[in-house]
Amino acid sequence: MRLIFLGPPGAGKGTMAKKLSKSRGLLHLSTGDLLRANIKEKTALGKEAVSFVENGKLVPDQLVIEMMRHRLREQDARKGFILDGFPRTTEQAKALDGLLGEENMKLDHAVNFDASDGKIIERLSGRRICGKCGAIYHLKNIPPKQPGICDQCGGSLVQRKDDNEETVRRRLEVYREETAPLIEYYERQNLLRTVPGELDVHELEPIVKKILA
Ligand code: AP5
């Protein structure tokens, strides 16, 4: 199965993608995670991407498309995947169509996580991630068993640099201008499945699973 997870920042794409990739054996490819790993390792791509990511702007299409072109050609992508945060512009969506065509692959669904600005700000201000394994928590909604410590690997929980209110507002503007038009793009291809991203995880999970059944 090949899926795209669309939606504004903080709508819950990463949280659901991690759950489904485990239960369905799908590869979870988050462009945000890949870019942050490059930034941490100070690769050439990381050095080009850092100011965009930290300021809530989109990394130029050409860089992201090249990164995904290489990643999707790796053997583990053959078992199926969830693309979380890619594509994010019409140019990226067209490039993805071309890439999949070259590999004789088709998308099954574009799942669109719908959430209001108020909910997004509440979610992102409370988000903490594990600096070691990337597990996602929320101080109130999905807290770790021990404050500040990852349940899965014991790593320390940190706040993402782009989760401050000013940058979140910029990310929302960028989402509306650049990414929201993809809703129509995938609707036209009859691939769009919109889900209520504001629901709690245990309520949302069966809704998403029903779409994939
Ligand atoms: P990226 O990392 O993709 O960030 P994003 O799209 O802004 O999405 P988030 O990771 O913030 O949110 P999410 O929807 O995954 O929510 P989560 O599950 O964590 O991108 C970061 C940056 O990288 C971009 O700004 C850009 O610079 C660059 N970039 C990335 N892709 C790019 C591309 N294709 N092109 C160009 N640039 C690109 O949940 C949020 C919080 O809510 C958590 O605390 C979680 O615990 C909680 N939560 C989640 N679901 C629920 C629920 N159902 N109920 C209660 N709480 C929940």
Side-chain angles (χ1 to χ4, degrees):
M1 181 157 290
R2 298 177 200 100
L3 307 170
I4 290 176
F5 279 7
L6 280 177
K13 306 178 296 291
T15 300
M16 193 55 64
K18 279 183 195 294
K19 276 188 165 287
L20 288 177
S21 65
K22 262 191 209 157
S23 64
R24 299 284 169 125
L26 300 170
L27 178 68
H28 172 202
L29 281 179
S30 152
T31 36
D33 287 349
L34 290 171
L35 290 166
R36 282 185 290 277
N38 274 278
I39 291 169
K40 200 170 169 187
E41 288 158 24
K42 297 193 166 60
T43 64
L45 170 61
K47 285 178 190 164
E48 287 200 73
V50 64
S51 67
F52 295 98
V53 173
E54 289 185 358
N55 291 303
K57 297 183 179 158
L58 290 186
V59 173
D61 283 335
Q62 202 194 336
L63 294 176
V64 178
I65 291 167
E66 262 327 285
M67 175 178 84
M68 292 307 275
R69 185 189 307 280
H70 288 293
R71 191 60 191 87
L72 285 170
R73 284 190 177 147
E74 284 179 34
Q75 192 57 34
D76 57 359
R78 294 267 143 207
K79 64 183 179 183
F81 49 71
I82 302 173
L83 301 184
D84 164 10
F86 180 84
R88 243 173 162 104
T89 63
T90 306
E91 192 166 336
Q92 291 181 19
K94 288 182 180 162
L96 177 64
D97 287 346
L99 260 168
L100 294 176
E102 284 164 25
E103 303 292 321
N104 270 326
M105 291 179 181
K106 273 194 172 162
L107 288 175
D108 293 286
H109 307 285
V111 184
N112 174 37
F113 290 70
D114 192 31
S116 65
D117 288 8
K119 182 59 95 177
I120 285 164
I121 305 231
E122 182 257 310
R123 288 228 180 125
L124 293 184
S125 56
R127 173 163 64 184
R128 297 293 180 271
I129 56 166
C130 174
K132 206 166 147 196
C133 75
I136 307 169
Y137 298 88
H138 188 278
L139 293 177
K140 224 170 64 198
N141 304 341
I142 308 172
K145 289 185 186 113
Q146 254 185 289
I149 307 287
C150 178
D151 296 348
Q152 291 175 34
C153 75
S156 299
L157 303 188
V158 295
Q159 187 165 28
R160 262 171 54 174
K161 277 198 178 150
D162 58 349
D163 275 351
N164 63 77
E165 189 165 338
E166 191 193 337
T167 311
V168 169
R169 290 201 186 277
R170 187 168 310 123
R171 284 159 64 198
L172 276 168
E173 273 168 36
V174 170
Y175 166 76
R176 274 191 275 272
E177 276 171 29
E178 308 268 3
T179 310
L182 294 185
I183 293 175
E184 209 185 306
Y185 184 91
Y186 287 109
E187 203 161 30
R188 281 201 300 270
Q189 297 189 24
N190 202 22
L191 290 172
L192 191 76
R193 317 281 177 253
T194 296
V195 299
E198 296 209 357
L199 292 182
D200 283 345
V201 185
H202 68 276
E203 294 171 304
L204 182 59
E205 196 176 0
I207 296 176
V208 179
K209 282 189 168 164
K210 204 168 163 195
I211 291 171
L212 312 188

